[in-house]
Amino acid sequence: MPWHRRHLLTLEELSLAEIEQIHATAAAFKRTLKRSVRKVPALRGKTIVNLFLEPSTRTRMAFDMAAKRLSADVISFDAASSSTTKGETLRDTAQNIQALQADLIVIRHAAAGSPLYLSRILDIPVINAGDGAHEHPTQGLLDTFTMKEHLGSLRGRKVVILGDILFSRVARSNIYALTKMGAAVTLVGPSTLVPHGFTDMGVEVSHDLKSALADAEVVMLLRIQHERQAAGLFPSLGEYTSMFGLNKTRASWLNPRAIIMHPGPINRGVEIDSELADGERSVILEQVTNGIAVRMAALYLCSGGQPENVMPTE
Amino acid sequence: MPNLWIRHARVIDPASKRDETGDLFIAEGKIVPSLPVAARKRARQIDARGLVACPGLVDIHVHFREPGQTHKETIATGSRAAAAGGFTTVVCMPNTSPVADNAGTIQYMKDAITRDAVIKVLPTGCITVGQKGQALAPIGSLKRAGVVAITDDGDCVQSNELMRRAVEYAKMFDLPVMDHCQDHSMTQGAVMNEGPMSVRLGLRGWPHAAEDLIVARNIILSEHTGAHIHLQHISSRFSVDMIRRAKGRGVRISAEGTPHHMALTDAALATYDTNFKMNPPIRTEEDRRAIIAGLRDGTLDCIATDHAPHTESEKDREFDFAPNGIIGLETALAVSLEVLVGQNRFKLPAVVDLMTRRPAQLLNLPAGTLAAGAPADVCLFDPEKVWRYDAKAGFSKSSNSPWHGRNFTGRVVTTICDGRVVYDHGKIK
């Protein structure tokens, strides 16, 4: 099936077939990453701009790395030293980038909906690298890609997402991908951070960690942000850890083959104990590596590449 | 100014309980029962066959941005937009720049109104100094300068004690206090209704409880002091229910509903279109139905637009950062006809009542009737006319409307203010 999308804005709008196409393309690119020359010429001559208007380490580096592995030229936009600090609007910034002959923009922005807004203004493809609390589609794709590597089909698998769901774009993208792939998703955390409104998205909401973790095959932790405490959304980090932190005892409630995931950055000792974050069930660093392959797939497909043309050879 | 003879109209004047096909006579700026035969011959005749003639519409909630933000709207452009929408009397909110918290600013506005307005524009003053919610504005001086009400609209007085003193003090001058009901502590950073849609879009939600709490506060204060408090742009089902109960006990509370809250729900935000971003936010279908029910049974006293102009460049940005508000003067009647008459089987005179007699009565304005001797403020509209609204071609300086490009049935044809035709077939006179 050919790839028709120009932009990658949300996983909500992607079909299961499209998600699988990206996964398959990512799998092909992942094989190229194991070669002695870890570079393919797919985007040679193209220029990709990483327009990151919010701090990021791994997502930005993974997009950088992915573009370079595809032989594209990459320009990373530094918000702190840009005209946005002089009050330039997002429209003007983006139109200037386009006028500078960029071929694709990867945008991270604190405001939900910004990538959709840009996609309407620009003639070049836009990839969403995280928009406020809305979506982070490549993270959802790399997370589900990693789950599939460990569990095979996700149909009927129980996946628990634990932590600050309300403000998490990672949670939303994972919910869309996982429900389309047939997984049973349970969201867990304090009621202030996991409101029941999420049940409209076809998932379970629970505040009882033990019953939620029972037999889960994936537990994905989300970072607890300190400012939520200041805003009165939960009493203290200590209280959070004592009620919802993942420790060895609680991890024993999981299915024996379960994997532990985290999109990072991790608050060690808050949402997860170090021994679990670094333990054998943890796939946290695999997620990071898979992030390159998935982003290569996203950049490649949105640039007009077709899945069947990815032919990594030694 | 020639006398006017409006012929063969369906004359709807709820204030004088009139709904009949007939003629209207205007002499020297007033409605008169008839004109002598000789005067009829000299009068300008308007053939109003197929049109409704009703009192000029009254809107007690508009923002004209002058002084200070005249790039968005001026008294000149705002009053022309109002005339094009059939309005002959509008009440301006005081959150200008500087805010209208002193008699000098009111005088400035009155001068601009005298100079530039094509209809009657009436100012309001702030409740608190600088609209900061900390100290009472000089309410008596504001009244003497000519305000018809006080309000911190755009903001809400958070201190219950200060609000109590404001209504007690304003009552001495028989001055209504209008309130934008919003508990700020619950709406920090909020940009839309809180609910499944805000969860889905990842936008910060403004729960209806933040409105309900202040509505409850104001009902209690009105009951406690006996003062009239008017609740602006009610958006929540729960609030409508509380107001209904309070009115049942005889509390001097009044309230308004907007065309956008009766017509739209937060589902419209799915594409992050900032022309649907407003405060209070459009809410759920349940809330929308409650607004309509409130207008039907009198719980909500009138329709008001909350006409809030912003330039295209201000609205053309990330949803979180775009300002709240939409324009509404040129579409209010059409939206009200569509939603209330077309979809909810209101009688036409009931809708006219909500946009004429009742808003005028709330603020004791000399408007909203076609009774003999009243100022000759008349709106002529064609209830069957199908038209497409082009916000960019309107008379407002701004075009931030959720209705741009929409087809409507029912259009204002002519607006007459004090016996003078100020708007006619698409043109300001």
Side-chain angles (χ1 to χ4, degrees), chain A residues 156-194:
Chain A
R157 308 283 189 186
K158 181 174 179 184
V159 177
V160 168
I161 307 178
L162 168 59
D164 177 357
I165 313 285
L166 180 59
F167 297 95
S168 173
R169 51 193 171 216
V170 176
R172 285 172 180 77
S173 284
N174 268 286
I175 289 167
Y176 288 124
L178 287 165
T179 51
K180 283 172 186 165
M181 296 169 81
V185 181
T186 304
L187 310 178
V188 194
S191 50
T192 45
L193 296 178
V194 190

Side-chain angles (χ1 to χ4, degrees), chain A residues 12 90-91 109-114 116-117 120 133-134 167 172 176 197-198 200-201, chain B residues 195-196 198-204 270-273 313 315-321:
Chain A
E12 184 184 11
L90 180 58
R91 170 187 278 273
H109 199 301
S114 304
L116 176 65
Y117 170 71
R120 292 195 179 124
H134 179 220
F167 297 95
R172 285 172 180 77
Y176 288 124
F198 277 96
D200 281 24
M201 294 167 79
Chain B
S198 66
V199 162
R200 193 187 126 198
L201 295 175
L203 293 172
R204 193 70 68 91
T271 59
Y272 297 91
D273 184 342
S313 62
K315 277 285 195 182
D316 177 26
R317 55 179 317 177
E318 301 92 315
F319 195 89
D320 277 343
F321 307 150

Side-chain angles (χ1 to χ4, degrees), chain A residues 9-267:
Chain A
L9 304 175
T10 68
L11 294 191
E12 184 184 11
E13 66 188 353
L14 256 54
S15 67
L16 175 60
E18 287 173 314
I19 290 170
E20 285 172 345
Q21 268 185 304
I22 298 178
H23 282 157
T25 309
F29 280 129
K30 188 172 179 183
R31 289 194 288 277
T32 71
L33 296 177
K34 291 176 182 147
R35 300 188 317 196
S36 51
V37 177
R38 291 176 290 178
K39 213 164 176 168
V40 293
L43 298 189
R44 192 161 52 200
K46 303 267 188 193
T47 303
I48 289 165
V49 173
N50 285 330
L51 177 58
F52 275 56
L53 298 165
E54 198 189 55
S56 164
T57 306
R58 71 208 71 213
T59 303
R60 178 167 160 171
M61 287 179 68
F63 269 109
D64 260 13
M65 198 76 90
K68 285 172 179 159
R69 294 280 177 258
L70 293 166
S71 304
D73 297 314
V74 189
I75 295 171
S76 282
F77 178 92
D78 183 359
S81 62
S82 75
S83 293
T84 55
T85 60
K86 299 178 191 169
E88 185 172 69
T89 63
L90 180 58
R91 170 187 278 273
D92 286 340
T93 301
Q95 284 182 329
N96 276 289
I97 291 170
Q98 180 171 274
L100 287 164
Q101 305 291 295
D103 294 295
L104 183 149
I105 285 189
V106 178
I107 178 174
R108 161 159 300 187
H109 199 301
S114 304
L116 176 65
Y117 170 71
L118 274 202
S119 73
R120 292 195 179 124
I121 294 171
L122 302 179
D123 302 322
I124 56 175
V126 175
I127 293 182
N128 179 6
D131 60 330
H134 179 220
E135 281 224 43
H136 192 351
T138 56
Q139 183 71 41
L141 289 165
L142 78 88
D143 288 339
T144 46
F145 182 85
T146 307
M147 289 179 212
K148 271 167 61 180
E149 282 190 326
H150 282 267
L151 304 172
S153 166
L154 300 185
R155 185 153 298 281
R157 308 283 189 186
K158 181 174 179 184
V159 177
V160 168
I161 307 178
L162 168 59
D164 177 357
I165 313 285
L166 180 59
F167 297 95
S168 173
R169 51 193 171 216
V170 176
R172 285 172 180 77
S173 284
N174 268 286
I175 289 167
Y176 288 124
L178 287 165
T179 51
K180 283 172 186 165
M181 296 169 81
V185 181
T186 304
L187 310 178
V188 194
S191 50
T192 45
L193 296 178
V194 190
H196 267 270
F198 277 96
T199 52
D200 281 24
M201 294 167 79
V203 298
E204 295 270 321
V205 169
S206 170
H207 310 299
D208 175 4
L209 190 55
K210 189 164 190 177
S211 68
L213 289 183
D215 293 328
E217 289 175 89
V218 179
V219 59
M220 179 182 301
L221 305 163
L222 299 175
R223 188 169 73 92
I224 296 302
Q225 298 176 48
H226 299 253
E227 63 266 29
R228 308 284 177 238
Q229 183 192 338
L233 285 160
F234 61 91
S236 69
L237 289 177
E239 162 115 343
Y240 178 86
T241 305
S242 76
M243 303 299 292
F244 294 102
L246 191 67
N247 55 30
K248 209 170 166 185
T249 307
R250 288 167 176 169
S252 71
W253 300 335
L254 294 161
N255 181 297
R257 63 186 291 200
I259 55 172
I260 295 171
M261 305 181 77
H262 197 308
I266 300 173
N267 291 312

